[in-house]
């Protein structure tokens, strides 16, 4: 079945450094790739998403890149701050007329930003 | 206020005692879904519903049931809970289908002894 692999499982960076989290998906028909942030004890919340018709999307300090050929996508956080410390999840699904109703999440990355 | 609510937030129960976790959204979303979160395994989809009376299995449906009789409600039913169903459960909803932003409920921490 469909699968999303996420790496690394934990990531520790110094404040101000960049962080990169990578995901690989198996369903070549996937065309929607969101990233969720989950702070300790809280619910996941969408921080950025990308659709397969674009290769990169930016929103202030965060960006997502997509390589459809290799079936992988990455989250980039620049100038990290302590409040970026959280668990980050990638996910993949089919949207629109080809959607199956499934949303497959990666295993999560615990990001720690040290002051 | 637009929100997804779940009840109860915390539940400790014993093996075999039927329980229901409720989920309700007030955003008129068509799509609703249940996930369980376990350390190292991420969020795994249990069941989803594309609209009223339309439900289907996710990746880990064994031991769970759902129903979607009304658009706003999507209860998760454990007919005979077992210790391996001890987990953190999230309900989520969105417009249309999973290719849209998911709005998550606050989570339900379930312990089965």
């Amino acid at each position: 079945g469909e699968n999303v692999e996420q790496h690394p499982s934990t990531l520790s960076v110094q404040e101000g450094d960049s962080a990169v989290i990578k995901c690989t998906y198996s369903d070549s028909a996937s065309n929607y790739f969101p990233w969720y942030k989950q702070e300790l004890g809280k619910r996941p919340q969408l921080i950025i998403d990308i659709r397969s018709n674009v290769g990169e999307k930016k929103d202030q300090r965060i960006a997502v890149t997509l390589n459809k050929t290799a079936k992988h996508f990455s989250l980039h956080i620049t100038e990290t701050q302590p409040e970026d410390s959280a668990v980050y999840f990638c996910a993949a699904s089919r949207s629109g007329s080809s959607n199956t109703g499934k949303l497959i999440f990666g295993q999560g990355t615990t990001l720690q930003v040290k002051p | 206020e637009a929100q997804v609510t779940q009840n109860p937030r915390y539940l400790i129960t014993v093996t075999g005692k039927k329980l229901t976790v409720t989920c309700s959204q007030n955003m008129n979303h068509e799509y609703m879904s249940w996930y369980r979160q376990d350390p190292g395994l991420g969020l795994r989809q249990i069941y989803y519903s594309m609209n009223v009376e339309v439900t289907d299995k996710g990746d880990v449906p064994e031991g769970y049931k759902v129903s979607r009789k009304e658009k706003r409600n999507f209860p998760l039913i454990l007919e005979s809970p077992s210790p391996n169903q001890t987990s953190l459960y999230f309900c989520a909803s969105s417009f249309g289908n999973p290719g849209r932003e998911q709005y998550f409920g606050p989570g339900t921490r379930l312990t089965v002894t």
Side-chain angles (χ1 to χ4, degrees):
Chain A
E2 300 94 333
N3 187 45
V4 175
E5 293 289 332
Q6 182 173 345
H7 297 283
S9 57
T10 60
L11 180 59
S12 181
V13 300
Q14 288 294 138
E15 182 177 358
D17 287 350
S18 295
V20 180
I21 304 170
K22 299 181 179 180
C23 289
T24 303
Y25 59 98
S26 63
D27 181 9
S28 57
S30 294
N31 55 10
Y32 175 68
F33 307 94
W35 285 89
Y36 286 82
K37 175 183 180 182
Q38 185 181 29
E39 296 177 352
L40 190 62
K42 301 287 183 63
R43 70 193 79 186
Q45 290 190 296
L46 181 74
I47 55 171
I48 195 167
D49 57 12
I50 191 168
R51 298 189 185 274
S52 59
N53 56 346
V54 298
E56 184 175 2
K57 184 177 179 180
K58 288 183 179 180
D59 183 3
Q60 298 182 29
R61 294 186 299 107
I62 61 174
V64 57
T65 59
L66 171 65
N67 183 327
K68 287 189 294 183
T69 303
K71 291 192 289 185
H72 68 69
F73 56 111
S74 300
L75 178 71
H76 305 254
I77 306 175
T78 59
E79 300 172 20
T80 54
Q81 301 167 4
E83 51 265 38
D84 294 328
S85 295
V87 179
Y88 292 81
F89 293 101
C90 63
S93 77
R94 303 183 189 185
S95 69
S97 59
S98 66
N99 94 83
T100 62
K102 290 192 174 185
L103 180 61
I104 310 297
F105 283 86
Q107 296 83 355
T109 296
T110 301
L111 174 64
Q112 180 186 30
V113 180
K114 299 177 184 176
Chain B
E1 180 190 355
Q3 59 181 347
V4 179
T5 57
Q6 293 179 227
N7 282 292
R9 294 289 313 280
Y10 303 90
L11 179 60
I12 301 174
T13 190
V14 296
T15 299
K17 186 177 181 181
K18 181 179 179 180
L19 67 93
T20 299
V21 184
T22 64
C23 173
S24 183
Q25 50 91 8
N26 62 0
M27 295 170 279
N28 203 34
H29 286 166
E30 294 84 8
Y31 182 82
M32 297 186 75
S33 185
W34 276 102
Y35 300 88
R36 60 177 290 174
Q37 182 176 6
D38 302 289
L41 298 178
L43 293 157
R44 293 181 292 166
Q45 193 173 40
I46 303 170
Y47 270 94
Y48 60 90
S49 171
M50 298 294 286
N51 214 323
V52 177
E53 301 291 1
V54 181
T55 62
D56 209 343
K57 298 176 181 178
D59 286 337
V60 288
E62 295 78 18
Y64 304 95
K65 287 176 57 177
V66 293
S67 68
R68 187 91 182 273
K69 295 184 171 60
E70 307 163 284
K71 198 171 187 179
R72 63 184 294 127
N73 296 324
F74 190 44
L76 180 69
I77 303 154
L78 285 73
E79 295 269 4
S80 183
S82 63
N84 64 12
Q85 292 179 298
T86 293
S87 187
L88 177 60
Y89 291 86
F90 286 101
C91 177
S93 70
S94 71
F95 288 112
N97 59 64
R100 306 284 294 271
E101 177 177 3
Q102 299 298 304
Y103 293 83
F104 283 84
T108 295
R109 175 74 66 181
L110 173 65
T111 301
V112 184
T113 62

